[in-house]
Amino acid sequence: MSLEFLSLERIQEIAHQYGYWAVFLGILLENLGIPVPGETVTIVGGFLAGSNELNYWLVLGDAIAGAAIGGTCGYLIGRKFGWSFMLQVGRIFRISEDRLLEMKEQFSNNATKAVFFGRFIALLRIFAGPLAGVAQMPYAKFFIYNLAGAAAWASVMVTLAFFVGKIVSLEELVALTAKFGIVALAIAFAIIFVPLWLEARKAGVGTSDQ
């Protein structure tokens, strides 16, 4: 979700005016959970690099740095405040602490994949860092996967915008990327929650048979 007043035209104006700072701060703020369209700003940066208005390598470096630093800040926030926040949310929705601990363990078992691949998935890009902090993922491991994921994501987004932006319009490019993010989110949702639903259903059937 992005700030409504930030239309694509407005994002282009900001990118033209602030250049590399717009790319760096856009993705950094998005990773902190602030509703700024960081991915779109990054795509616009790559698009402008493709039209020789910005330097490709500087855009790429800013995108990697912003994503990595934003992810680290999210991790530190989650590590310090995340668990107490989850307990409060659990009380509101009547989720027991034992169930929250199970969910925490399940995420911990898949934390490296979530941190790396979460960069390419809408919403998970924002929450992977804080959730890794809540799960007490060792910082050294988080640092490696966070930086690798940031580099992979930024390379794909900036390079895609750099080359494909010469063939299709910026509007089409942003729309295609958004659709990919939604599909990736749906697939991730199915992979994560369908097995949990099947497990819960199996447990329920087993209990009723006793």
Side-chain angles (χ1 to χ4, degrees):
M1 184 180 296
S2 61
L3 296 175
E4 292 184 0
F5 64 85
L6 286 179
S7 63
L8 183 57
E9 291 76 14
R10 178 57 180 155
I11 293 172
Q12 285 181 270
E13 292 176 9
I14 293 172
H16 275 110
Q17 185 172 357
Y18 297 102
Y20 307 110
W21 278 110
V23 176
F24 174 77
L25 291 175
I27 193 60
L28 186 150
L29 293 174
E30 185 188 61
N31 276 258
L32 289 177
I34 299 173
V36 173
E39 183 175 74
T40 302
V41 175
T42 302
I43 292 172
V44 171
F47 183 87
L48 294 177
S51 59
N52 297 318
E53 295 181 59
L54 294 175
N55 180 277
Y56 169 85
W57 295 107
L58 291 178
V59 172
L60 178 59
D62 279 345
I64 293 173
I69 294 172
T72 298
C73 291
Y75 169 87
L76 294 174
I77 292 171
R79 193 176 182 94
K80 188 171 182 61
F81 305 107
W83 181 242
S84 59
F85 176 74
M86 287 187 66
L87 289 175
Q88 292 177 2
V89 173
R91 295 190 191 100
I92 295 173
F93 291 98
R94 297 182 180 180
I95 304 173
S96 68
E97 185 173 345
D98 289 339
R99 182 55 183 156
L100 288 174
L101 285 170
E102 289 178 13
M103 294 169 64
K104 178 180 176 182
E105 183 178 355
Q106 289 170 349
F107 181 85
S108 181
N109 293 335
N110 297 281
T112 55
K113 296 177 184 177
V115 171
F116 183 86
F117 292 106
R119 291 286 176 192
F120 297 90
I121 301 173
L123 296 182
L124 189 55
R125 180 168 55 253
I126 299 173
F127 295 113
L131 288 175
V134 171
Q136 301 291 306
M137 182 179 182
Y139 179 71
K141 181 181 288 187
F142 172 81
F143 177 84
I144 293 171
Y145 282 90
N146 179 54
L147 182 58
W153 171 83
S155 297
V156 170
M157 292 296 107
V158 175
T159 304
L160 181 71
F162 183 87
F163 289 107
V164 179
K166 297 178 180 180
I167 305 172
V168 302
S169 68
L170 179 59
E171 291 78 6
E172 291 176 302
L173 183 59
V174 171
L176 288 172
T177 305
K179 289 178 182 178
F180 172 81
I182 294 172
V183 171
L185 178 62
I187 293 173
F189 184 89
I191 292 174
I192 294 171
F193 290 102
V194 169
L196 292 177
W197 176 76
L198 291 174
E199 182 181 342
R201 184 179 180 185
K202 183 178 179 181
V205 172
T207 303
S208 63
D209 290 341
Q210 292 180 356

